[in-house]
Amino acid sequence: MCSSAYLLHRTLSVRVMAIARLARHAKRPYGLCAKVTAVAIMGLCFIFVWSMFSSSSSSSSVTIQRESFDDIAQPVPANNRVSNSKTQSKKKEPEKHESSREDQKVKVESNLESKKDEKKINGSAYPSMNEHESREKGKKESSNKKDSARKLPNGVAKDSNSQEESESEESVKEEEEGGVVDGREEATDGQSEGNGEVEGEGGLIETIDQEATEKVEDESGGSKSAGKRGKIRGPLFDPIAHYSWRLCSTRSKHNYIPCIDIGSGTGRLQSYRHTERSCPRTPPMCLVPLPHEGYGFPVLWPESKLKILYKNLAHPKLDAFIKKNSWLVQSGKYITFPQNQSEFKGGVQHYLESIEAMVPDIEWGKNIRVVLDMGCADSSFGASLLDKDVLTLSLGLKDDLVDLAQVALERGFPAIVSPFGTRRLPFPSGVFDAIHCGECNIPWHSHGDKLLLEMNRILRPGGYFILSTKHDNVEEEEAMITFTASICWNILAHTTDEVSEVGVKIYQKPESNDIYELRRKKNPPLCKENENPDAAWYAPMKSCLHTIPSSIEQHGTDWPEEWPKRLETYPDWINDKEKLISDTNHWKAIVEKSYLTGIGIDWSNIRNVMDMKAINGGFAAALSQQKVWVMNVVPVHAPDTLPIIYERGFFGVYHDWCESFGTYPRSYDLLHADHLFSRLKNRCKHPVSIVVEMDRILRPGGWAIIREKVEILDPLEGILKSLHWEIRMTYAQDKEGILCAQKTMWRP
């Protein structure tokens, strides 16, 4: 560097001296031409000297910049830790590539940001609800309060370990999300959930540039979502979105079940419903109307066992059904259920006692706790068993146009609606203590006897299948004898009761695999070892016979303890018993110290309860002393804990909350959702549709208790307000919170 500067200095000196001599000569009178030539030479020399100097200076500065790269850390994404800066400095080409990708991301994301104001959620031409505008005005005032705890109403217990448990649960859930969990299958019969009819009842209208969104996903490593699954960048709910709502306009009107009923179109009543579960391609974003004669608050339990409001059901086929049956009577504005009347002649009590007399091992409320009633005809069967501490889940079949499952729900009895044709029911294997089919009119021998094989799958080893009918068909009788023998069901009783005049057959499922080996004809064949008996969601029925669990690690190897010891007794196949006990105590404390006394719910108005993300049934166990029943829903993307729930003496179903639930509108008095929305962020394309579904299945006056992250609760509160729900209580601490809201009678 020193020698170069010296040479540059000498060169400049020589040329300056030459210019000076020319200037002295220019003063002599040699003429205008000589003077112009001298000036031109001086200008050229000046330009040459300046270019030399600037080139040297530029070269020096570039060298300094490159030498300083070792001290500059490469920008890293927010979710990655900063790595060693020296290692990064050696990778110059990847830096260029990454920086160009980052620039591209910024451009795409800025494009998305610029279009946020255009985003609108719309279902109709009705005026927009402006609750979000008022919330946005108050955001600045409340921004300083977000990290602090909101005022807790008297009696609400702080959830000391909820954050720790929720974080651990979240880590498990995030590993499981987006795929098959514990072998449970989805759409294995080649039909996806979203291949139903196009739902024309309004929807989530988003003006986000789809190509830009896909580009962002590709740059972040490629989108692995398919169908209804899709990664959501940013918040789950758009905090500045506006919502307007419209009423659904479907053939089912106020009784619309999106994945069961055909949403639109014309035709005869026989095509009223799908033969299999088939959901709209986009989730409905419309609100189911109230009955045309209005809606009255339901009759409270236990009075609802004897009467319900007629106008709350108002089904076109119900009037004709009432006239033909004596166990329900229309009396003024009520439908009444005389205690001495049922579909069983002589009364349902006599019917139950005759079953116990036929098979003394059947002890209602002791070794028989969880029962499935196929067909949901006379809910007096489940009502009478309830008095014996037996939980009976009624299955309303898809072709039940009288909507007797809705009658059961209005009375306060558990029921769901599901097709029963070629796909499995949404239950795990070996969980029901008994299955009852009283005049259910199911063609058991259709579809190659797969229907009976499905009963065999969900029936507990040693469990009972009770079939009663008034009309014996010789051909069906022979087919039943042949097939039940082929699957080794033991017939314990086959008699006709003289009082009820009902023919009753009671079968028992084998308790071990030994008897299967003694079959002369191996038809139906045993299922392969890789056939998961618990795969139930959109899984086709199989033509094979699942073996009886024999390993100590499998559920169903032993019959549970008698109720109520069953609730607190944990079998050997449950791995982490301490965690289960901790979960039970956790929810017991929350329910006793908060839910029952501290959040303003009058529990005398609560009968039908749903836990939208049940884990081990702790919430249901905490409510076991209350006059309620709980539908435990285990999401299909979560770990399979539903067998544990049945083992404890409760019931539940598998479900995907990206779709509508299999029940009638206005079915539940209370919905409980513990960190449900945060688990569905990267699964459902339209998370707002889950809120719409909650509005559909919750009764006016019903409650929702939502435990979530504050970042989800804040915009969720705005959505509920746009639906005219009343926010009764909010509380937050350490980024976790709880929201209690009550649905109103409002419809757009």
Side-chain angles (χ1 to χ4, degrees):
M1 284 292 292
C2 293
S3 60
S4 298
Y6 176 74
L7 291 174
L8 180 62
H9 176 71
R10 286 294 306 272
T11 303
L12 290 173
S13 300
V14 171
R15 293 185 179 176
V16 169
M17 290 172 64
I19 292 170
R21 283 196 297 269
L22 286 172
R24 286 196 298 271
H25 287 293
K27 294 179 182 179
R28 299 176 184 179
Y30 289 113
L32 179 62
C33 185
K35 291 180 179 180
V36 171
T37 302
V39 171
I41 293 173
M42 289 178 65
L44 291 172
C45 290
F46 179 79
I47 293 172
F48 176 78
V49 170
W50 177 257
S51 64
M52 289 287 293
F53 179 79
S54 62
S55 174
S56 175
S57 175
S58 175
S59 176
S60 174
S61 69
V62 170
T63 304
I64 292 171
Q65 285 182 1
R66 289 179 178 174
E67 288 176 351
S68 66
F69 277 0
D70 287 340
D71 300 324
I72 299 176
Q74 181 182 357
V76 295
N79 59 345
N80 292 340
R81 296 181 180 179
V82 178
S83 58
N84 192 314
S85 60
K86 291 184 179 180
T87 305
Q88 294 174 0
S89 65
K90 295 178 182 179
K91 301 178 180 179
K92 297 176 183 179
E93 288 302 320
E95 282 174 1
K96 289 182 180 180
H97 178 65
E98 289 296 323
S99 63
S100 65
R101 287 179 60 184
E102 288 296 321
D103 292 341
Q104 199 171 6
K105 277 188 181 180
V106 171
K107 290 178 182 179
V108 173
E109 290 177 352
S110 64
N111 185 29
L112 291 175
E113 288 294 322
S114 67
K115 293 192 177 186
K116 268 189 177 179
D117 295 335
E118 300 176 19
K119 189 183 293 185
K120 184 179 180 184
I121 298 170
N122 200 345
S124 70
Y126 284 91
S128 298
M129 298 297 104
N130 294 322
E131 283 80 355
H132 286 278
E133 295 177 359
S134 60
R135 290 181 71 251
E136 291 301 319
K137 291 179 182 178
K139 275 189 176 180
K140 292 184 179 179
E141 299 176 4
S142 62
S143 60
N144 297 328
K145 301 179 183 179
K146 273 192 176 181
D147 295 333
S148 61
R150 302 178 190 176
K151 187 174 180 181
L152 188 63
N154 293 332
V156 178
K158 291 184 179 180
D159 189 1
S160 58
N161 59 349
S162 64
Q163 183 179 5
E164 179 182 349
E165 291 189 4
S166 66
E167 289 176 355
S168 63
E169 291 169 13
E170 183 176 1
S171 62
V172 174
K173 297 289 189 298
E174 288 177 350
E175 291 176 2
E176 303 287 355
E177 279 181 358
V180 179
V181 178
D182 294 333
R184 280 172 290 165
E185 302 172 6
E186 292 190 44
T188 51
D189 56 351
Q191 299 182 30
S192 65
E193 298 89 327
N195 63 350
E197 80 278 0
V198 177
E199 177 60 46
E201 299 310 317
L204 185 63
I205 300 178
E206 298 181 271
T207 57
I208 297 179
D209 190 323
Q210 183 66 27
E211 293 182 0
T213 305
E214 293 174 355
K215 195 171 186 179
V216 170
E217 290 178 349
D218 290 340
E219 290 176 354
S220 62
S223 173
K224 296 181 180 180
S225 61
K228 61 180 172 294
R229 300 182 185 87
K231 281 197 172 183
I232 299 175
R233 298 180 62 86
L236 181 66
F237 301 115
D238 188 349
I240 64 172
H242 294 265
Y243 302 90
S244 63
W245 306 103
R246 63 176 287 176
L247 291 178
C248 298
S249 177
T250 61
R251 298 181 63 197
S252 304
K253 300 179 181 178
H254 56 278
N255 289 327
Y256 180 43
I257 308 176
C259 294
I260 306 295
D261 297 339
I262 296 175
S264 58
T266 59
R268 302 180 65 183
L269 198 60
Q270 281 73 10
S271 60
Y272 205 87
R273 289 178 171 169
H274 295 292
T275 56
E276 289 291 354
R277 181 179 175 88
S278 181
C279 296
R281 294 178 183 174
T282 57
M285 289 296 294
C286 56
L287 305 183
V288 175
L290 297 177
H292 56 84
E293 294 184 3
Y295 182 83
F297 288 107
V299 178
L300 299 182
W301 181 268
E303 191 179 0
S304 61
K305 290 194 294 184
L306 301 178
K307 67 177 183 180
I308 59 176
L309 284 172
Y310 173 79
K311 67 179 182 180
N312 287 358
L313 305 179
H315 191 278
K317 289 284 186 177
L318 189 57
D319 289 336
F321 185 83
I322 291 175
K323 293 177 181 178
K324 295 179 181 179
N325 293 270
S326 61
W327 60 270
L328 72 171
V329 179
Q330 185 174 353
S331 177
K333 63 179 182 179
Y334 296 105
I335 297 177
T336 61
F337 306 91
Q339 288 183 300
N340 59 344
Q341 295 291 330
S342 74
E343 66 171 344
F344 304 102
K345 188 177 180 181
V348 68
Q349 288 293 343
H350 172 78
Y351 177 70
L352 294 175
E353 291 170 1
S354 65
I355 291 175
E356 285 186 307
M358 295 177 199
V359 183
D361 287 341
I362 295 179
E363 297 179 277
W364 302 117
K366 294 182 180 180
N367 68 331
I368 304 298
R369 164 67 179 173
V370 185
V371 175
L372 179 66
D373 187 19
M374 300 293 296
C376 192
D378 182 2
S379 51
S380 63
F381 177 78
S384 298
L385 284 178
L386 188 63
D387 295 334
K388 299 176 180 291
D389 277 339
V390 176
L391 285 180
T392 304
L393 177 61
S394 296
L395 182 69
L397 303 178
K398 58 91 187 172
D399 57 353
D400 181 14
L401 296 181
V402 183
D403 289 346
L404 293 181
Q406 189 180 26
V407 173
L409 288 163
E410 191 72 14
R411 295 180 68 184
F413 302 129
I416 62 169
V417 181
S418 175
F420 186 48
T422 61
R423 293 178 185 158
R424 288 179 171 178
L425 297 173
F427 309 120
S429 65
V431 290
F432 287 103
D433 304 332
I435 298 176
H436 175 254
C437 172
E439 288 288 340
C440 56
N441 298 320
I442 295 176
W444 290 111
H445 305 292
S446 62
H447 304 292
D449 294 305
K450 288 182 180 179
L451 302 183
L452 276 174
L453 284 171
E454 176 64 2
M455 295 295 97
N456 184 78
R457 182 187 72 87
I458 63 178
L459 190 61
R460 185 180 295 278
Y464 304 94
F465 182 77
I466 304 169
L467 179 65
S468 62
T469 180
K470 296 179 182 178
H471 309 287
D472 286 335
N473 182 294
V474 176
E475 185 177 339
E476 291 181 1
E477 178 75 15
E478 292 178 353
M480 178 66 77
I481 293 173
T482 302
F483 189 75
T484 53
S486 69
I487 59 176
C488 303
W489 280 10
N490 184 23
I491 184 164
L492 303 179
H494 183 188
T495 184
T496 299
D497 183 73
E498 295 180 357
V499 177
S500 62
E501 298 179 356
V502 171
V504 180
K505 294 189 271 303
I506 302 177
Y507 301 90
Q508 186 177 31
K509 180 180 175 179
E511 298 183 68
S512 69
N513 292 312
D514 296 340
I515 195 169
Y516 292 152
E517 302 300 327
L518 301 177
R519 295 184 303 165
R520 288 183 295 177
K521 294 182 179 180
K522 302 297 191 278
N523 187 31
L526 296 179
C527 297
K528 298 178 181 178
E529 292 184 1
N530 61 353
E531 293 277 1
N532 182 12
D534 294 330
W537 188 246
Y538 281 91
M541 293 180 186
K542 306 294 183 180
S543 298
C544 57
L545 188 64
H546 285 285
T547 56
I548 306 298
S550 56
S551 172
I552 196 172
E553 294 85 8
Q554 296 176 292
H555 70 84
T557 51
D558 296 313
W559 195 274
E561 294 285 341
E562 291 186 356
W563 182 262
K565 289 175 60 178
R566 178 173 179 170
L567 180 60
E568 304 295 339
T569 305
Y570 308 115
D572 294 333
W573 57 267
I574 296 178
N575 296 326
D576 196 343
K577 297 180 183 180
E578 295 299 322
K579 184 177 180 180
L580 188 57
I581 294 172
S582 175
D583 179 73
T584 301
N585 295 333
H586 167 72
W587 285 111
K588 183 178 180 181
I590 290 177
V591 168
E592 290 180 353
K593 297 178 181 179
S594 298
Y595 290 0
L596 295 181
T597 58
I599 57 179
I601 296 178
D602 183 358
W603 284 84
S604 65
N605 297 331
I606 306 298
R607 173 61 184 168
N608 303 354
V609 179
M610 175 185 285
D611 191 358
M612 298 178 70
K613 192 183 74 64
I615 300 177
N616 295 314
F619 176 67
L623 290 173
S624 59
Q625 298 303 313
Q626 305 300 314
K627 302 298 183 182
V628 302
W629 60 269
V630 180
M631 175 61 71
N632 296 280
V633 181
V634 173
V636 294
H637 63 274
D640 185 6
T641 56
L642 197 50
I644 298 176
I645 292 172
Y646 276 91
E647 194 74 17
R648 304 183 72 182
F650 304 113
F651 55 73
V653 296
Y654 298 122
H655 184 63
D656 186 346
W657 282 113
C658 300
E659 301 180 3
S660 293
F661 190 78
T663 191
Y664 289 92
R666 306 170 301 278
S667 294
Y668 288 90
D669 301 306
L670 186 144
L671 303 177
H672 182 257
D674 178 31
H675 291 83
L676 171 71
F677 293 94
S678 54
R679 307 297 193 269
L680 297 174
K681 180 176 180 179
N682 293 328
R683 185 171 180 85
C684 303
K685 285 185 177 180
H686 305 296
V688 180
S689 66
I690 306 171
V691 186
V692 175
E693 177 65 3
M694 293 173 68
D695 182 86
R696 187 185 73 87
I697 67 178
L698 190 64
R699 291 170 174 170
W703 290 76
I705 304 175
I706 304 170
R707 310 175 73 90
E708 262 300 348
K709 299 176 181 178
V710 173
E711 64 184 35
I712 292 177
L713 286 181
D714 284 343
L716 179 58
E717 182 178 338
I719 299 173
L720 295 177
K721 284 183 177 179
S722 75
L723 292 166
H724 288 240
W725 287 29
E726 295 182 357
I727 308 302
R728 296 300 188 184
M729 191 271 286
T730 57
Y731 169 71
Q733 187 176 25
D734 298 329
K735 299 182 180 181
E736 296 286 331
I738 181 173
L739 183 151
C740 295
Q742 190 174 22
K743 180 181 173 180
T744 65
M745 287 279 192
W746 179 84
R747 296 287 90 176

